[in-house]
């Protein structure tokens, strides 16, 4: 199977977090991706499969060169804060004037509009404002951010890719480009759809750690094992809970009234006591082949050698104890030298003989 995005040309203005991750995925799917970095800027995280080109966009000559590049591109990903492109003379209007079919994806935390648009922030701030961080806490404890997976990469990077693909599909019908205002707060809020739906139906409490999916239910939680490890239990449905109960030896009295929150403290205490009697490896082995929804909690290093992940081929070895996640589809093209890539795109090496550029429109 050919790379799904073969022939799609993406230009990324280097940034942090969601934009590099989104462009990584686009490149892994076969898009020819050129990342523009500032002079002297080291290659950032998640640029492993891209062509890198240094350009000082404060130099008017390099602004003209960028416009030549954008004219040959399908997508430009802007990871700067609102207003920066305009100050550089590279407003979306000017880019679209050069290339009417261009998709300009502006990736920010707060978005291009709203009272916080000009403010700085990071993943923890964005997920806090959307309510997503509030649900990541146990009863009586403080919220615990899940690294920057939820905002930057799910609500940001993945949302960016979906938005770009949708815009490319629309362009295939209409021939017109567009400007996308992609914000982490938007994407993360969308991720909370089910929780809002449950809350609207009266099935989700605003009190942390009291719901079935936020460690309120004892059959959806983590438990410490005899050797100091942890296992995760997700036996939500009754048929899986019964198999879990058989596995750990719960009595009929233990199992009674499992859906009643009044019984949860007692059931949690009983499960915790049983899980502490064996090591993590012993529980992993005991749960093998049983639909008890019990799995070990692995570190990143341990995950690399897990049989399921190994069978799926989603982690590639990159050294003695180094691993690189890959999409299971397997489309990871080699990135050419930037000069070779631009020649393939038909972008001139210099501006001699190239039509004059219109002046930028004042922001």
């Amino acid at each position: 199977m050919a790379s799904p995005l073969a022939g799609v040309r993406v230009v990324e203005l280097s940034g942090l977090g969601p934009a590099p991750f989104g462009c990584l995925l686009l490149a892994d799917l076969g898009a020819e991706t050129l990342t523009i970095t500032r002079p002297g800027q080291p290659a950032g995280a998640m640029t492993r499969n891209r062509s890198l080109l240094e350009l000082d966009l404060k130099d008017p000559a390099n602004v003209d060169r960028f416009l030549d590049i954008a004219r040959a591109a399908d997508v430009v990903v802007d990871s700067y804060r609102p207003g920066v492109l305009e100050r550089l003379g590279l407003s979306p209007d000017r880019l679209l004037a050069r290339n009417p079919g261009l998709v300009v994806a502006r990736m920010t935390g707060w978005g291009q509009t709203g009272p916080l648009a000009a403010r700085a922030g990071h993943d923890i701030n964005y997920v806090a404002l959307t309510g997503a961080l509030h649900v990541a806490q146990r009863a009586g404890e403080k919220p615990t951010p899940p690294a920057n997976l939820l905002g930057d990469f799910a609500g940001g990077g993945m949302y960016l890719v979906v938005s770009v693909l949708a815009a490319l599909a629309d362009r295939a019908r209409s021939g017109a480009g567009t400007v996308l205002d992609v914000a982490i707060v938007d994407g993360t809020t969308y991720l909370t759809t089910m929780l809002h739906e449950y809350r609207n139906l009266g099935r989700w409490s605003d009190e942390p750690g009291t719901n079935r999916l936020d460690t309120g239910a004892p059959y959806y939680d983590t438990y410490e094992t005899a050797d100091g490890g942890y296992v995760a239990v997700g036996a939500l449905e009754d048929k899986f809970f019964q198999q879990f109960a058989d596995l750990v030896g719960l009595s009929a009295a233990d199992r009674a009234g499992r859906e009643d929150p009044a019984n949860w403290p007692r059931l949690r205490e009983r499960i915790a006591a049983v899980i502490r009697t064996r090591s993590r490896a012993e529980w992993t082995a005991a749960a093998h082949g049983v639909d008890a929804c019990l799995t070990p909690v692995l570190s990143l290093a341990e995950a690399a050698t897990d049989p399921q992940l190994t069978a799926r081929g989603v982690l590639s070895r990159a050294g003695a104890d180094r691993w690189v996640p890959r999409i299971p589809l397997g489309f990871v093209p080699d990135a050419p030298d930037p000069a070779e890539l631009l020649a393939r795109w038909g972008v001139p090496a210099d501006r001699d003989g190239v039509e004059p550029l219109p002046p930028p429109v004042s922001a």
Side-chain angles (χ1 to χ4, degrees):
M1 181 179 175
S3 299
L5 297 185
V8 173
R9 300 170 175 180
V10 177
V11 179
E12 172 197 11
L13 290 162
S14 182
L16 298 174
F21 179 69
C23 290
L24 171 74
L25 181 52
L26 292 171
D28 277 350
L29 290 169
E32 294 181 342
T33 306
L34 176 69
T35 298
I36 307 296
T37 63
R38 299 179 181 89
Q41 178 185 1
M46 300 174 292
T47 57
R48 64 172 185 257
N49 58 349
R50 319 238 257 292
S51 300
L52 304 179
L53 177 66
E54 283 192 0
L55 277 184
D56 180 4
L57 293 177
K58 294 181 180 179
D59 180 342
N62 285 328
V63 170
D64 290 348
R65 179 149 177 75
F66 183 85
L67 287 167
D68 287 336
I69 294 169
R71 180 167 58 177
D74 296 295
V75 180
V76 166
V77 177
D78 164 27
S79 60
Y80 298 157
R81 289 171 71 171
V84 173
L85 270 193
E86 286 80 358
R87 289 196 295 272
L88 292 171
L90 292 170
S91 68
D93 286 347
R94 195 178 190 204
L95 294 175
L96 285 167
R98 294 289 287 171
N99 182 352
L102 187 65
V103 174
V104 182
R106 312 195 76 174
M107 179 75 254
T108 61
W110 302 117
Q112 300 292 318
T113 60
L116 296 179
R119 291 268 300 277
H122 281 293
D123 179 292
I124 192 170
N125 307 118
Y126 309 134
V127 301
L129 205 69
T130 64
L133 185 57
H134 182 265
V135 302
Q137 61 180 311
R138 296 176 178 277
E141 298 184 14
K142 65 179 184 179
T144 301
N148 63 334
L149 298 176
L150 181 55
D152 278 353
F153 301 135
M158 286 292 189
Y159 186 48
L160 169 66
V161 171
V162 171
S163 300
V164 166
L165 295 180
L168 289 174
D170 180 70
R171 189 189 68 172
R173 293 189 295 268
S174 69
T178 190
V179 180
L180 302 173
D181 180 359
V182 184
I184 294 174
V185 289
D186 296 354
T188 305
T189 300
Y190 194 72
L191 292 173
T192 65
T193 295
M194 185 190 74
L195 301 185
H196 275 287
E197 196 167 300
Y198 280 3
R199 187 177 181 277
N200 294 341
L201 294 171
R203 295 169 56 190
W204 188 273
S205 169
D206 288 332
E207 185 66 30
T210 63
N211 302 285
R212 294 179 84 228
L213 297 175
D214 65 356
T215 73
Y219 41 82
Y220 198 86
D221 204 348
T222 58
Y223 291 91
E224 187 174 6
T225 57
D227 57 345
Y230 288 86
V231 294
V233 175
L236 287 171
E237 295 84 356
D238 188 64
K239 61 182 178 180
F240 301 139
F241 174 77
Q242 297 303 332
Q243 293 192 57
F244 168 74
D246 290 343
L247 177 71
V248 301
L250 296 182
S251 67
D254 293 329
R255 305 180 197 210
R258 79 175 189 102
E259 293 293 354
D260 184 353
N263 295 325
W264 286 355
R266 174 185 56 81
L267 180 56
R268 183 185 309 280
E269 198 172 292
R270 175 63 180 143
I271 292 173
V274 175
I275 296 297
R276 279 195 296 267
T277 64
R278 296 190 193 181
S279 69
R280 188 185 69 176
E282 289 174 323
W283 282 118
T284 301
H288 182 70
V290 180
D291 280 339
C293 301
L294 183 151
T295 53
V297 177
L298 302 180
S299 69
L300 293 176
E302 291 171 322
T305 57
D306 176 76
Q308 178 65 23
L309 298 187
T310 301
R312 299 288 296 168
V314 293
L315 284 165
S316 299
R317 185 180 289 275
D321 188 33
R322 297 175 58 207
W323 301 86
V324 177
R326 303 288 193 187
I327 57 171
L329 297 175
F331 305 109
V332 186
D334 292 330
D337 178 84
E340 176 189 338
L341 182 69
L342 291 176
R344 185 188 306 166
W345 290 8
V347 178
D350 57 59
R351 301 214 81 253
D352 290 343
V354 179
E355 63 183 87
L357 291 167
V361 178
S362 298

